[in-house]
Amino acid sequence: MADTGTLDRKTWQTALDQITEEHEGELVTIEILDPEIGHQHEAERLPFAYEAYDPKDDVVIVAVGGQSSRYPVVLRHMVQNPKEIDVAPQGVPEPAIRIVDKDGTATLITFYPEESGTGS
């Protein structure tokens, strides 16, 4: 994610709410980049439901699915104690968000516009 913008912690809640509005229903891939166990896919091109930051519990929640009979179940990925959130700049072909937790594990959420293939 070259040229990312690191969000200020004070703006996390508002910024993630805005990302939800802008990308709801698009397809997303959630990847976990763990320095110890490597790279793993948690979800691949599933409909994005929302992304939120809960300051009380200090957790970022990314939810996919749950919006249609094709994807009736909501999958929630949680990043406990995040220390950094980076957002790709506007205009990149596949917008992405990177969330880094206190242990250095990164969660990468990549958005795919609806026209990129809802038939998968």
Side-chain angles (χ1 to χ4, degrees), residues 79-100:
V79 179
Q80 296 285 339
N81 305 309
K83 67 176 186 178
E84 180 179 315
I85 299 177
D86 302 317
V87 178
Q90 291 286 3
V92 296
E94 294 171 350
I97 299 168
R98 184 176 69 114
I99 306 161
V100 181

Side-chain angles (χ1 to χ4, degrees), residues 62-75:
V62 182
V64 297
Q67 299 177 344
S68 69
S69 59
R70 183 168 182 193
Y71 302 104
V73 177
V74 174
L75 167 72

Side-chain angles (χ1 to χ4, degrees), residues 44-63:
E44 193 162 350
R45 293 193 184 232
L46 293 176
F48 177 67
Y50 67 87
E51 185 167 30
Y53 174 64
D54 178 352
K56 180 181 174 223
D57 292 326
D58 195 24
V59 62
V60 172
I61 304 162
V62 182

